[in-house]
Amino acid sequence: MNAEQAAYEELQFYTLGLRDGAFIHQHVVDAWAAQHATADGKPISLTFALVGLYLHLERGFTGRAVQLAHMAMAKTKHDWPRFALPAERGAVTAQDVMAAAPGAARDRAIDTWCASVWEAYRESHRAVGELLHRHGVI
């Protein structure tokens, strides 16, 4: 296991252990999935990651609200879009997040990570918003 994967797993343990009502863990899952998406991955994985980042960063959704949006979108079968994978996926990584002190500093680092990854996908922002409108999420 490489250091980045180990940091992600430690971060998952941290966020699941919070047992917070906002469910910040969802943002960690979405940032990781978008940052580490591959061309041969399932389209739903990247779509839902980008949806989660959009809803959190552009609309202020909590992780729990993002999770509910994912569940609503998944109720019916769709051909999910294939989003272009940018060469650079954000400068912030799970290792950077884990370097922050637990608590408020680490939670802010998670948001910084999400923003870094979301910005890397700037060419897809409009398409993600349109997808959410079509599905009646926003």
Side-chain angles (χ1 to χ4, degrees):
M1 176 183 328
N2 68 32
E4 181 67 9
Q5 180 72 40
Y8 174 58
E9 290 181 10
E10 188 175 352
L11 184 55
Q12 287 182 304
F13 181 77
Y14 167 78
T15 56
L16 286 171
L18 294 174
R19 301 180 197 271
D20 62 320
F23 197 55
I24 195 170
H25 177 73
Q26 184 65 53
H27 308 315
V28 168
V29 170
D30 291 336
W32 178 268
Q35 195 166 52
H36 295 274
T38 61
D40 60 340
K42 293 182 180 181
I44 191 172
S45 297
L46 180 55
T47 297
F48 276 34
L50 294 177
V51 160
L53 294 174
Y54 178 99
L55 292 173
H56 176 53
L57 297 165
E58 304 291 338
R59 299 294 177 130
F61 279 39
T62 64
R64 181 71 62 213
V66 167
Q67 186 182 47
L68 292 172
H70 286 163
M71 290 167 43
M73 291 175 70
K75 282 185 178 180
T76 56
K77 188 172 177 150
H78 298 281
D79 289 327
W80 299 106
R82 286 203 171 269
F83 290 96
L85 297 173
E88 169 57 40
R89 308 279 179 83
V92 180
T93 68
Q95 287 178 280
D96 297 320
V97 174
M98 285 308 298
R106 186 168 293 161
D107 297 352
R108 283 190 303 274
I110 290 169
D111 280 342
T112 300
W113 181 30
C114 289
S116 175
V117 174
W118 179 237
E119 176 55 26
Y121 281 91
R122 66 187 152 282
E123 298 299 322
S124 297
H125 289 186
R126 183 177 181 167
V128 173
E130 290 170 355
L131 177 73
L132 288 166
H133 279 289
R134 282 194 308 277
H135 284 272
V137 176
I138 57 171

